[in-house]
Amino acid sequence: MSISAAKVGQRLCSAGATVLAEGQATTRVYVLLAGWAFRFKSLEDGRRQILNFLLPGDLLGLQGELLARLPHGVEALTPVNLCAFGSDAVPSFFRDHPGIALDVTWLAAHEERLVDDAVLTVGRRTAMERVAALLVHLFKRAASVGLVERDSIPFPLTQLHIADALGLSVVHTNRVLQRLRKGGFIRLEDQRLAIGDLGAMRRVGQYWEQPAPLRPLL
Amino acid sequence: MSISAAKVGQRLCSAGATVLAEGQATTRVYVLLAGWAFRFKSLEDGRRQILNFLLPGDLLGLQGELLARLPHGVEALTPVNLCAFGSDAVPSFFRDHPGIALDVTWLAAHEERLVDDAVLTVGRRTAMERVAALLVHLFKRAASVGLVERDSIPFPLTQLHIADALGLSVVHTNRVLQRLRKGGFIRLEDQRLAIGDLGAMRRVGQYWEQPAPLRPLL
DNA sequence: CGGGCATTTGAGCAAGATCAAAATGGGTGG
DNA sequence: CCACCCATTTTGATCTTGCTCAAATGCCCG
């Protein structure tokens, strides 16, 4: 029995669309099949913080399912294809398919690891370190789902997204990116990102995370 | 069948002790029975970020169990009493006790919600807002496990802990706390914290989180 | 009494924010 | 095909929040 047997439908969202609204009451669980998205929270006055980015294979909406109300929003960065499950999917996994339930929990633990990392980045890294660490992180993640092509990955984020993920202003983000470009650390153009020397970038970002072990689902 | 049936022992740690080491390879899962602790990550040069605080009823070590290597450390703030489980506890819950497995996942989702919040705080709130939000948060959490006594809760954190949780320097943390004290917002002395007007503090902290719904386990 | 940690205070500094405006660069409707 | 619009990126100038450095004070405990 694979997880896809419980699939009840698909959902498509276009780039920039709200996939799940912040604070939404009833939610379904989805698996991201294709495209990029991100989770975020905002303050009343509009300040926004991106929590983490979602790539194919990631689970969405689990918090809404378990916690009754979704405490964050989800927005698509590119056109996105979601695999939707029935409203009783989660409980039924736990009841009848312990292997899948464990996979779901694994995905939750994995995502928490990403967010733990985001706290460290935003709380203790300098602006330069933050940008470098994020770019390395995204590069590796994209690589792990097979998105590398001729040394570069698709990069659908704007500088605003980077700023909102790192707790920086757009202006400062822009200046840091320029330093990285002029230093020859990255090539970022045409919605694609290439990193010349991963080791060097890791060093500027103080970023030594090991890639996650094998991922379940899909 | 209650979760405590799977208990194989207890563990006591004294204040300041390392409960789980950062990067530790093999880990057990624990439930915190009494005392305060916190999860943290650090950078090579010693900069440390506290991810969240742990109170009685919280689960520890799940990430180590699922992800092979524990990506963060856990340290005791007060003397701490842990309920330990066997090494096969998690898989056996999923196999034989779906209700408990769901509770475990609920706890994971709940903790992620806390960390999501920490990212927002550290990334987008001002120093004053951060401190206020953290104090309100801790007050409510402590209250939810019945720690309020004569309007105040035990408060075992030093200013360094607050600083490390909020991505601030100790010096600045100190000045912010003084402003809150002189403004009559908080009373913080003798390891106890009282908040005069929760609504006012929420306002200065831009903090509107709703308390979590009912928690399982214990 | 002395050592070590935590808190407090002062002074100067700097990383990054803010404000403002110009340059780019598609994307679209006429 | 062109003109216009709007989002994004870039640049310059100035300001401020919060950091660093340094030292004093207070306090608990052996």
Side-chain angles (χ1 to χ4, degrees), chain B residues 8-208:
Chain B
V8 303
Q10 291 221 347
R11 205 179 133 195
L12 300 171
C13 298
S14 49
T18 295
V19 178
L20 299 172
E22 216 173 341
Q24 195 172 312
T26 50
T27 304
R28 288 293 177 76
V29 171
Y30 299 92
V31 168
L32 182 53
L33 295 176
W36 294 52
F38 61 88
R39 300 194 310 123
F40 67 93
K41 295 193 73 152
S42 10
L43 259 20
E44 295 215 320
D45 59 11
R47 280 175 284 176
R48 180 179 73 166
Q49 178 65 41
I50 291 181
L51 305 171
N52 68 297
F53 294 94
L54 301 171
L55 265 64
D58 282 338
L59 193 63
L60 289 76
L62 183 63
Q63 298 199 30
E65 179 87 18
L66 296 176
L67 268 23
R69 193 166 271 282
L70 190 72
H72 59 261
V74 177
E75 193 177 311
L77 270 174
T78 67
V80 136
N81 186 354
L82 300 166
C83 169
F85 298 97
S87 58
D88 64 335
V90 172
S92 88
F93 289 157
F94 278 81
R95 204 179 329 106
D96 305 326
H97 308 286
I100 294 182
L102 192 50
D103 287 347
V104 166
T105 307
W106 186 95
L107 283 168
H110 178 256
E111 185 172 87
E112 182 176 346
R113 180 158 150 310
L114 298 188
V115 185
D116 284 352
D117 234 52
V119 184
L120 175 62
T121 291
V122 167
R124 288 305 184 200
R125 281 190 241 251
T126 66
M128 175 61 84
E129 289 166 350
R130 291 182 209 187
V131 174
L134 176 65
L135 295 184
V136 172
H137 167 73
L138 289 176
F139 193 94
K140 300 244 82 170
R141 281 206 73 200
S144 80
V145 291
L147 289 174
V148 181
E149 241 169 69
R150 268 181 295 102
D151 279 20
S152 70
I153 59 163
F155 195 82
L157 323 205
T158 68
Q159 295 186 4
L160 211 222
H161 292 122
I162 302 178
D164 280 350
L166 298 177
L168 298 173
S169 70
V170 205
V171 173
H172 199 61
T173 301
N174 177 277
R175 299 197 225 263
V176 172
L177 281 173
Q178 285 178 56
R179 279 206 277 156
L180 284 173
R181 275 198 273 245
K182 281 166 190 160
F185 290 98
I186 59 169
R187 215 175 53 245
L188 179 50
E189 55 191 18
D190 254 356
Q191 310 261 79
R192 297 196 69 84
L193 165 70
I195 298 183
D197 179 348
L198 261 174
M201 272 291 273
R202 286 202 126 95
R203 244 168 287 126
V204 348
Q206 300 274 318
Y207 184 80
W208 322 107

Side-chain angles (χ1 to χ4, degrees), chain B residues 1-7 85 93 97 100 217-218:
Chain B
M1 152 84 189
S2 138
I3 191 179
S4 48
K7 176 172 176 175
F85 298 97
F93 289 157
H97 308 286
I100 294 182
L217 251 43
L218 294 198

Side-chain angles (χ1 to χ4, degrees), chain A residues 183-205:
Chain A
F185 291 97
I186 59 170
R187 215 176 52 244
L188 179 51
E189 55 191 20
D190 253 356
Q191 308 262 78
R192 299 196 68 86
L193 165 69
I195 297 183
D197 179 348
L198 261 175
M201 272 292 272
R202 287 202 124 94
R203 243 169 288 127
V204 348

Side-chain angles (χ1 to χ4, degrees), chain A residues 78-181:
Chain A
T78 65
V80 136
N81 186 354
L82 300 166
C83 169
F85 298 96
S87 58
D88 63 335
V90 172
S92 88
F93 289 158
F94 278 82
R95 202 180 330 106
D96 305 325
H97 308 286
I100 294 181
L102 192 51
D103 287 347
V104 166
T105 307
W106 186 95
L107 283 168
H110 178 255
E111 186 173 84
E112 182 176 345
R113 180 159 152 308
L114 297 188
V115 185
D116 285 351
D117 234 53
V119 183
L120 175 63
T121 291
V122 168
R124 289 305 184 201
R125 280 189 242 250
T126 65
M128 175 58 85
E129 289 166 350
R130 290 182 211 187
V131 174
L134 176 65
L135 295 185
V136 172
H137 167 73
L138 289 176
F139 193 93
K140 300 244 82 171
R141 281 206 72 201
S144 80
V145 292
L147 290 174
V148 182
E149 240 170 67
R150 267 182 296 99
D151 280 18
S152 72
I153 59 162
F155 194 82
L157 323 204
T158 67
Q159 295 185 5
L160 212 222
H161 292 123
I162 300 178
D164 280 349
L166 298 177
L168 298 172
S169 69
V170 206
V171 173
H172 199 61
T173 300
N174 177 277
R175 298 199 225 262
V176 171
L177 281 172
Q178 285 178 57
R179 279 207 276 156
L180 283 172
R181 278 199 271 242

